[in-house]
Amino acid sequence: MSKQKILVIGASGQIGVELTLALRKIYGANSVIAADLREENPLLKDTGPYVSIDVMNKEMLHVQVIRQNVTQIYLLAAILSATGEKNPSLAWHLNMQGLLNVLDVAKEEKLHKVYWPSSIAVFGPTSPKKNCPQQTVIEPITVYGISKYAGEFWCNYYFHKYGVDVRSLRYPGLISYKSSPGGGTTDYAIEIFHGAVAHNSYTSFLQKDTYLPMMYMPDAIRATIELMEAPAGNLSVRTSYNIAAISFSPAEIATEIKKHIPDFVITYAPDYRQAIADSWPQSIDDSVAHKDWNWKPEYDLTRMTTDMLENIQKGK
Ligand code: VAH
């Protein structure tokens, strides 16, 4: 395969940091350029090149792609569900124009591949709650979900009309300890671990029986890389693939944490994010991803909880 040069836009974010580090392990430090509008995340320091890029500035993006001989772009920059509801027009503009800028540059420079994440947030209250299928009624009620669903159709369009090999996953809520969550409705499932370690307690902004599809970050990173390395001919989905790992509620994850921290106490104070969570499915059918590129998760709730607590306690 010709030498790859990967540009990760949004590299300082929750997913971007871990994806950049994983890609550098595979392709070599100098083959993966980390880019963000924000400062370089400390976890990326001295691990490879870092450039400041505003994905909304298409001309600047195009110049960087040419100057750095970029062959692949991973676009992680986005405004997530909870933050998006506070500033709908900014969320729509950034999530949509950022993607269109990347797709246009990929078309014009004939890039090898593009990765862009969608989310289970595309589903809405009229989608099936359990084992929500790849294709079903999809009527998102958040700006984030609307922008992700619209983005899926743009990816499909650029693939079929211009041959841009853009690939996408509908991430569930992603849980990690390395960097802060990004302003999503599923952030409680990260905050709860830090609350448990710091002061044996956490107040959940979602009700105790709010089941949501979730995934541990190592599974999400592996899914992303496995999708990007799959033979193009195996891929039947060019909007975005459902992927799944675990579904749990705040009460269930609290019970799992109590196995490690017996006096951990959870309380509940639902806020505006409850309505967003209630609009999403509780579990996802990812049989198409399994069929097309053999997707299989490796972390369940028990294994994730153990790993999260061990690493957060180490970092204390
Ligand atoms: C959010 N973490 O909460 C994101 C994710 C399925 C949710 O897309 O907005």
Side-chain angles (χ1 to χ4, degrees), residues 14 80-82 118-121 144 171-174 183-187 213 280:
Q14 182 200 5
L80 301 185
S81 60
S118 181
S119 162
I120 60 106
Y144 173 67
Y171 288 138
L174 300 185
T185 301
T186 57
D187 289 358
W280 292 344

Side-chain angles (χ1 to χ4, degrees), residues 158-214:
Y158 271 76
F159 173 72
H160 288 288
K161 190 168 173 88
Y162 304 120
V164 174
D165 187 354
V166 48
R167 305 181 184 191
S168 179
L169 297 173
R170 287 172 180 161
Y171 288 138
L174 300 185
I175 294 156
S176 61
Y177 60 85
K178 285 186 183 159
S179 59
S180 319
T185 301
T186 57
D187 289 358
Y188 91 87
I190 298 168
E191 296 169 358
I192 191 169
F193 287 103
H194 293 282
V197 171
H199 35 78
N200 287 356
S201 66
Y202 177 66
T203 299
S204 167
F205 55 72
L206 296 182
Q207 284 163 347
K208 65 180 188 178
D209 56 353
T210 308
Y211 276 85
L212 288 173
M214 300 281 193

Side-chain angles (χ1 to χ4, degrees), residues 105-273:
V105 170
K107 178 184 79 167
E108 287 153 27
E109 295 306 320
K110 296 186 174 33
L111 297 193
H112 182 56
K113 279 179 199 164
V114 174
Y115 178 73
W116 174 79
S118 181
S119 162
I120 60 106
V122 300
F123 297 111
T126 53
S127 306
K129 283 293 178 205
K130 295 199 190 310
N131 291 320
C132 191
Q134 177 71 45
Q135 291 190 314
T136 183
V137 175
I138 301 187
E139 296 171 327
I141 61 161
T142 62
V143 174
Y144 173 67
I146 293 165
S147 71
K148 286 299 182 182
Y149 200 32
E152 291 186 8
F153 291 115
W154 278 116
C155 292
N156 194 53
Y157 180 87
Y158 271 76
F159 173 72
H160 288 288
K161 190 168 173 88
Y162 304 120
V164 174
D165 187 354
V166 48
R167 305 181 184 191
S168 179
L169 297 173
R170 287 172 180 161
Y171 288 138
L174 300 185
I175 294 156
S176 61
Y177 60 85
K178 285 186 183 159
S179 59
S180 319
T185 301
T186 57
D187 289 358
Y188 91 87
I190 298 168
E191 296 169 358
I192 191 169
F193 287 103
H194 293 282
V197 171
H199 35 78
N200 287 356
S201 66
Y202 177 66
T203 299
S204 167
F205 55 72
L206 296 182
Q207 284 163 347
K208 65 180 188 178
D209 56 353
T210 308
Y211 276 85
L212 288 173
M214 300 281 193
M215 183 178 287
Y216 197 30
M217 186 62 81
D219 268 344
I221 299 301
R222 180 173 52 82
T224 307
I225 291 168
E226 286 179 2
L227 171 66
M228 293 299 276
E229 291 182 346
N234 293 3
L235 306 182
S236 65
V237 172
R238 286 294 179 165
T239 47
S240 187
Y241 277 94
N242 278 8
I243 53 169
I246 20 182
S247 285
F248 56 78
S249 64
E252 276 186 340
I253 195 168
T255 302
E256 199 62 35
I257 289 171
K258 281 180 194 155
K259 292 177 185 171
H260 302 261
I261 305 174
D263 53 350
F264 171 66
V265 175
I266 185 168
T267 50
Y268 300 94
D271 66 13
Y272 74 100
R273 290 168 283 193

